[in-house]
């Protein structure tokens, strides 16, 4: 959007409702095994449990049903048993904003009063949903608005997939498309791999044929470089990977992406190499925010080219999106193009991300949500280790 373009917003606020089923176990976000165990504990005969898991799973995720009474391929008495024993509970949709370019930002209230943001980006050939995995973020990346509030808490798998559930239901009604979301990217609030177990469960729900049915190339996890979890990710799920690189050397990346002090570039690139070994057709996307006078020089471009020249890599250049009190400025279009041309001359695939939704603070690095508590945790407070 040019500076002279008019900014128009469609802002809708959804009234708050109380949950009458509070206290019953929630079926949303359970693994298949977890759902099977829950159904058996509630009285489902064990021989029937596997079939019931598939049926309930499809009603919740594929058809978007929240009322057990609407699960019409189940007997009435079994529907009553489910209603007495469980709830289908999702976060509360608080508001929706629509950008002049068609980008939509959703604000959702989760347990504890926190609110997280989710962004839908429409394109001619796809619809991408950018989802959050944490309230805030502990990694302190200097150019990111989310990082300024620190980490409040992790999202549960239910809270993660609920963002997709709500967006699909809303977009089907608004746009009239049967499948408005073709891609899901973990690029919203938070560092996905710092909430590893819940994110893995969410990915499996997204890729399950009876769930959301997204293929492995349609789900992308973005990380700032938590190396041990990158190695686990390739073993646990089959998903695309994006790496928030943003600098071609340790000195600069230490400043911009502080996790680099724990896992420096050499370790990160080695982990990327291991990740692509399982699938030689996979290209990791290296995200590189363009900061005027900081990381956008010709020398920076040549150094980046040397770093990635032997990797199956795509470089995604991201024009910086400003936020209040930031010290950074966006590189000029001419500087971004010159940077990209150096990478192309060195045989790298390069794209420049088109800024979308910046008039509603929905662009990359601008998501902040709302927090119920100002208690914060930052990188120095949190031991980054591989959970058992």
């Amino acid at each position: 959007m040019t500076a002279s373009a008019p900014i128009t917003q469609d802002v809708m606020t959804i009234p708050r409702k109380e949950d009458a089923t509070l206290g019953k176990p929630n079926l949303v976000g359970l693994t298949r095994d977890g759902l099977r165990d829950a159904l058996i504990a509630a009285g489902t005969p064990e021989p029937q449990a596997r079939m019931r898991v598939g049926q309930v799973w499809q009603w919740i995720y594929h058809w978007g049903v929240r009322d057990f009474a609407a699960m019409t391929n189940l007997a009435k008495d079994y529907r009553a048993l489910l209603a007495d024993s469980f709830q289908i509970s999702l976060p509360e949709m608080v508001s929706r904003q629509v950008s002049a370019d068609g980008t939509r930002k959703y604000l959702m209230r989760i347990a504890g009063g926190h609110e997280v943001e989710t962004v839908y980006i429409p394109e001619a050939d796809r619809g991408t949903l950018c989802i959050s995995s944490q309230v805030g973020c502990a990694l302190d990346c200097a150019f990111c608005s989310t990082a300024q509030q620190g980490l409040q808490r992790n999202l549960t798998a239910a809270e993660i997939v609920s963002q997709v559930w709500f967006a699909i239901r809303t977009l089907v009604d608004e746009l009239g498309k049967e499948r408005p979301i073709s891609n899901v990217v973990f690029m919203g609030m938070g560092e996905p791999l710092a909430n590893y177990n819940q994110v893995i469960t969410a990915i499996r729900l997204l890729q399950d044929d009876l769930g959301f049915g997204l293929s492995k190339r349609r789900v992308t996890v973005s990380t700032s470089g938590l190396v041990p979890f990158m190695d686990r990710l390739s073993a646990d799920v089959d998903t695309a990977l994006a790496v928030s690189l943003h600098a071609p050397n340790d000195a600069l990346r230490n400043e911009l992406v502080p996790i680099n002090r724990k896992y420096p570039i050499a370790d990160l690139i080695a982990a990327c190499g291991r990740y692509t070994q399982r699938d030689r057709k996979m290209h990791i996307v290296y995200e590189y925010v363009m900061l005027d006078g900081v990381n956008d020089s010709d020398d920076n471009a040549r150094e980046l080219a040397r770093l990635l020249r032997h990797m199956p890599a795509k470089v995604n250049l991201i024009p910086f999106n400003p936020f209040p009190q930031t010290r950074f400025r966006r590189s000029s279009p001419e500087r971004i193009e010159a940077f990209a041309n150096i990478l192309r001359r060195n045989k790298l695939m390069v794209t420049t991300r088109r800024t979308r939704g910046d008039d509603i603070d929905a662009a990359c690095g601008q998501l902040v949500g709302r927090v119920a508590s100002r208690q914060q945790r930052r990188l120095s407070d949190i031991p980054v280790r591989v959970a058992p």
Side-chain angles (χ1 to χ4, degrees), residues 28 63 77 174 238 264 294 328 338:
V28 179
W63 299 113
D77 58 346
E174 292 180 359
D238 197 354
V294 176
F328 297 110

Side-chain angles (χ1 to χ4, degrees), residues 168-245:
I168 290 174
R169 305 277 79 75
T170 302
L171 291 165
V172 165
D173 292 340
E174 292 180 359
L175 304 180
K177 294 182 179 180
E178 184 177 348
R179 293 184 64 86
I181 296 172
S182 61
N183 297 69
V184 172
V185 295
F186 284 79
M187 297 182 184
M189 298 170 62
E191 162 57 58
L193 297 190
N195 185 17
Y196 187 82
N197 291 334
Q198 298 301 312
V199 166
I200 291 298
T201 298
I203 291 171
R204 289 171 176 154
L205 288 166
L206 293 173
Q207 294 180 339
D208 192 286
D209 288 342
L210 294 180
F212 295 99
L214 295 171
S215 71
K216 62 184 181 181
R217 291 292 183 268
R218 299 290 186 174
V219 179
T220 300
V221 175
S222 178
T223 180
S224 296
L226 274 64
V227 167
F229 292 98
M230 292 170 63
D231 289 331
R232 282 190 65 184
L233 183 69
S234 63
D236 288 342
V237 292
D238 197 354
T239 187
L241 182 67
V243 172
S244 295
L245 188 58

